[in-house]
Amino acid sequence: MLLSLAVRNFVIVDELAIDFSPGFTVLTGETGAGKSILIDALQLALGERAEADVVREGAARAEVSAEFRVGGEAAAWLRENELAGDADTALLRRVVDAGGRSRAFVNGTAVTLAQLRVLGDLLLDVHGQHAHQSLLRPMAQLALLDSHAGLATMAHAVAAAYAAWRQAVRALDEAQAMEGSARAEQDRLRWIVEELEPVAPRAGEWAEVEAEHRRLAHGASLLEGSQAAVEQLAEAEDSALARVDRAADQLSRLSDYDGRLQPVVEALAGARAQLDDAARTLNRYLDAADLDQARLAEVEARVAELHAAARRFRCAPEELAPLLDSSREKLAALAAAGDLQALRAREASARDEYDRAAAALGRKRAKAADDMAREVTRAMQELSMAGGRFKVELSPCERSASGAERAEFLVAGHAGVSPRPLARVASGGELARISLAIAVIAAKATPVATLIFDEVDAGIGGAVAETVGRLLKRLGGERQVLCVTHLPQVAARGDQHLLVSKEQAGDRRPVCRIVPLDRRARIDEIARMLGGLQITDTTRKHAREMLAS
């Protein structure tokens, strides 16, 4: 249920905050006062697309916050998405800057617009003033039937089965179209695999083999150079170590006479230690070194083999292993895709799965069509269409994402005529009444707790308007209902009455105001709706009678 709405700098609203009650709430006001701004603000908070022009002129940003009491599916969705608040409430907030960029929050946590829309669909349902126009579209009629019957889950399953079947059909068609070229590609890939598998290149092998070949090929040079370095460092008569020792000994004696030479003696001692360490390391290297001519021959043969394979496939030696792996994968994929028998079996299985799901949905729709026709026909009698009948005709169609049948709404405006398509029969007033009847009936099937009717009573008046007021009042006993209306007969039925007005002082920009009315103010507003600008004692008396009834 909608608990409150706060709006700042939205279109012609500078700032307002409204608390809402359960039951039936009506919003009224002069034409052009901005009665639908409340609905627009709510839809923005629930994820409607934002444009820069929603920001009040001169303001940096617009902000809308809506607080709901949540339960059922909405509460479960909040828990699943880790957005649940401390209590059984949800605070939805939307901010739009003057450049059209927007941010959205649920219980203080930033969310995407997609998330906001999903939550919004669970909290509130809007029946717009042009909703009756959508009734003329076959797809909208089918969707409304499914919504009324609670078949949305089954309809989604049928759509998923249809998508799976179409994918299987495309895979089979592509395989059949490419059968010849795929065979040639398979032959090419099979040749690559058969040629490279005996070579068996490994990932990273070329770098290892190349490094080992360099080392083995220069083995003699490495040994000779290392031995010569050992002699120059430590073993020759005039080696580096011997020269350092002589210099250190001489300076050590002289440092007794001049202490400034002592750092030089210490530096030479460090140099001697490093030279000695280098000589020891070279000796260990020489002890372990071996001129392995047999291994050199093996490595040279492997280098030649990899080079030959690389020339054959016109690639670098290090690319051989990836080429073998990718060829194996593509060959396996082509083999699977080229199995026409398996693809045909998969397509047939997907088609059967779709047919079963669509048939089950069709059976449910047939029963729902009868139920909906009976309920709308009953509502038509209440709306002064005595003898009128409503029918939902289901006819088979080709397989589609929406099922195996199409729906068409048929209506007979009065007794003695056969039902005909809604688009060809109903006048403007009849269409408005039928639309309202369907909206009220469909609203009973929706799981959301808050329903908004935005001037759905357009084109209705007189006794029919009183019936509309009763219908909405009755619906308000089951759900929270908000209705923007221009009919005093409907406004008089409200449990809560909000007056929308547009004020302008001097050269200042106009601002929208929404205030709750007490009984006395309601009498004046309903009297205005009855009599226009001139409110008389007679219209006030009539207004009091309407409220009392």
Side-chain angles (χ1 to χ4, degrees), residues 264-289:
V264 180
V265 174
E266 293 173 359
L268 289 172
R272 189 193 190 289
Q274 289 183 331
L275 290 170
D276 186 57
D277 185 57
R280 290 175 183 275
T281 301
L282 281 172
N283 278 320
R284 287 195 295 271
Y285 174 78
L286 289 167
D287 290 342

Side-chain angles (χ1 to χ4, degrees), residues 10-62:
F10 181 77
V11 193
I12 61 171
V13 176
D14 54 356
E15 186 169 1
L16 66 82
I18 314 169
D19 293 327
F20 293 92
S21 304
F24 181 32
T25 297
V26 294
L27 290 95
T28 65
E30 295 279 4
T31 300
K35 295 188 291 298
S36 294
I37 284 181
L38 173 68
I39 313 301
D40 296 339
L42 267 173
Q43 289 182 306
L44 184 72
L46 296 174
E48 192 74 15
R49 183 177 177 180
E51 301 288 352
D53 58 6
V54 303
V55 181
R56 180 172 163 79
E57 187 177 345
R61 63 179 179 271

Side-chain angles (χ1 to χ4, degrees), residues 376-389 411-415 427 429-434 436-437 459-468 470-471:
V376 175
T377 297
R378 186 183 307 123
M380 287 171 64
Q381 314 311 306
E382 294 185 63
L383 292 169
S384 298
M385 297 183 72
R389 284 186 296 144
V411 65
H414 49 82
S427 65
E430 289 175 330
L431 185 57
R433 279 180 279 172
I434 294 169
L436 181 61
I460 294 172
V464 178
E466 293 185 14
T467 304
V468 170
R470 286 197 302 272
L471 281 174

Side-chain angles (χ1 to χ4, degrees), residues 263-324:
V264 180
V265 174
E266 293 173 359
L268 289 172
R272 189 193 190 289
Q274 289 183 331
L275 290 170
D276 186 57
D277 185 57
R280 290 175 183 275
T281 301
L282 281 172
N283 278 320
R284 287 195 295 271
Y285 174 78
L286 289 167
D287 290 342
D290 184 18
L291 289 175
D292 191 343
Q293 296 298 328
R295 178 57 184 165
L296 176 60
E298 290 177 9
V299 173
E300 286 181 338
R302 183 58 174 168
V303 168
E305 184 180 29
L306 292 173
H307 263 304
R311 284 194 302 271
R312 190 178 314 132
F313 295 105
R314 297 181 181 180
C315 65
E318 58 269 23
E319 296 172 355
L320 290 171
L323 176 63
L324 177 58

Side-chain angles (χ1 to χ4, degrees), residues 187-407:
D187 291 341
R188 187 185 72 84
L189 292 170
R190 192 176 294 111
W191 171 72
I192 293 174
V193 171
E194 290 173 353
E195 290 289 319
L196 280 181
E197 279 187 336
V199 178
R202 294 182 291 102
E205 179 188 14
W206 175 250
E208 297 171 5
V209 169
E210 201 174 26
E212 186 177 10
H213 181 262
R214 282 197 303 270
R215 181 176 61 79
L216 291 172
H218 296 85
S221 299
L222 290 169
L223 290 176
E224 290 173 6
S226 298
Q227 184 61 54
V230 168
E231 290 180 4
Q232 291 170 5
L233 286 172
E235 295 181 359
E237 184 176 345
D238 196 29
S239 67
L241 280 173
R243 290 185 179 189
V244 169
D245 285 344
R246 286 197 298 271
D249 183 61
Q250 184 176 9
L251 290 174
S252 180
R253 289 195 304 272
L254 292 175
S255 66
D256 292 338
Y257 306 112
D258 189 345
R260 289 178 296 176
L261 293 174
Q262 186 59 34
V264 180
V265 174
E266 293 173 359
L268 289 172
R272 189 193 190 289
Q274 289 183 331
L275 290 170
D276 186 57
D277 185 57
R280 290 175 183 275
T281 301
L282 281 172
N283 278 320
R284 287 195 295 271
Y285 174 78
L286 289 167
D287 290 342
D290 184 18
L291 289 175
D292 191 343
Q293 296 298 328
R295 178 57 184 165
L296 176 60
E298 290 177 9
V299 173
E300 286 181 338
R302 183 58 174 168
V303 168
E305 184 180 29
L306 292 173
H307 263 304
R311 284 194 302 271
R312 190 178 314 132
F313 295 105
R314 297 181 181 180
C315 65
E318 58 269 23
E319 296 172 355
L320 290 171
L323 176 63
L324 177 58
D325 291 340
S326 66
S327 297
R328 283 171 173 160
E329 291 174 4
K330 291 176 182 177
L331 189 60
L334 280 174
D339 189 348
L340 293 178
Q341 185 175 354
L343 288 174
R344 289 190 183 99
R346 189 182 309 163
E347 185 273 334
S349 175
R351 185 178 65 247
D352 291 344
E353 181 66 26
Y354 168 84
D355 287 343
R356 283 193 295 271
L361 177 61
R363 289 190 293 272
K364 293 282 188 180
R365 280 173 171 168
K367 182 180 184 304
D370 292 339
D371 294 341
M372 185 176 184
R374 189 164 47 252
E375 292 180 45
V376 175
T377 297
R378 186 183 307 123
M380 287 171 64
Q381 314 311 306
E382 294 185 63
L383 292 169
S384 298
M385 297 183 72
R389 284 186 296 144
F390 181 83
K391 181 180 180 182
V392 181
E393 185 175 80
L394 297 176
S395 56
C397 66
E398 294 183 358
R399 295 181 182 91
S400 71
S402 57
E405 57 274 320
R406 63 172 62 90

Side-chain angles (χ1 to χ4, degrees), residues 34 69 88 99 112 214 222 267 294 304 308 407 420 429 451 464 468 489 495 545:
R69 178 175 293 118
D88 59 345
T112 65
R214 282 197 303 270
L222 290 169
R420 298 176 62 190
L451 306 170
V464 178
V468 170
Q489 297 94 329
D495 300 310
E545 291 173 351

